[in-house]
Structure formats: structure tokens, C-alpha cells
Amino acid sequence: MKKTGKELAPPAQAVREALKHRMLIITGSSGVGKTTILRSILVILDSKGVKIVLAARLAVRRSASAESTGMEAKTITACSEFEAKASGAATAASRSSATSSSSMRPA
């Protein structure tokens, strides 16, 4: 056990757990195997034709994820904005401009 009181999963167990769930958050300090776990998961999911979206909390981590995997990565904010657009949800700015446009039309 580590200082946190939790036993850490070996990489193979982490990959198995990741494949059971739709979302996975990989955390840890340098050298614990995050990139190895991520690459293993990506290879397996890609071979099954699964659509994959890599997301990171910060732009600098997004760049590092993209570089280490060779895949496009987005920030969590960018993913949530994409999801909102895909579901047809309007942003405050687009609602505001739609209101302005409609009020300027001739009667």
C-alpha cells in the first residue's frame, strides 16, 4: 500500500478496468505508467473500431497526450463545447445574437 492507503493497480489491471467503463481518468506522478496504460487502451479500442476522444484538463497536457499517442486530443472544455453543439444546446452568446437578429428584422 502507498501513503494514500489505497493499493495501486498494476498496468494490466488498469487496462482491463478501463475497457469495462466508458470513461477513464488516469492520474499519477511521472514514471508510473500513465502513457503505457493509455497506449495499450488505444491499441485495443482502435482494433475494435471504437471512436476515441482523448481529453485533458489543461492545454499543455492535451499537447503532451497528442504527442505521446499520435492522436488528436482536446481539452475537457473543448469536449464539453463540442457535446453542447452536437446536442443542439445553444450557448448564451448564440441565444443573445439570435434575439438581436430577430428583433432587427422588418415587420
Side-chain angles (χ1 to χ4, degrees), residues 12-93:
Q13 182 182 350
V15 171
R16 280 193 299 278
E17 287 299 313
L19 296 173
K20 290 181 187 177
H21 306 284
R22 285 189 67 166
M23 186 173 95
L24 173 71
I25 299 172
I26 301 172
T27 64
S29 57
S30 298
V32 297
K34 297 180 299 292
T35 302
T36 301
I37 292 168
L38 181 59
R39 285 182 185 153
S40 299
I41 294 165
L42 294 175
V43 166
I44 293 166
L45 293 177
D46 187 53
S47 73
K48 295 180 179 281
V50 174
K51 181 183 177 197
I52 301 163
V53 177
L54 290 180
R57 188 171 63 89
L58 303 171
V60 69
R61 294 304 319 145
R62 174 195 52 83
S63 298
S65 293
E67 186 177 317
S68 66
T69 63
M71 291 184 61
E72 178 186 6
K74 299 179 180 192
T75 61
I76 292 171
T77 302
C79 289
S80 62
E81 289 170 357
F82 174 78
E83 184 63 32
K85 288 177 186 174
S87 68
T91 64

Side-chain angles (χ1 to χ4, degrees), residues 93-107:
S94 65
R95 284 193 299 267
S96 165
S97 65
T99 305
S100 300
S101 299
S102 62
S103 63
M104 294 182 180
R105 289 189 187 134

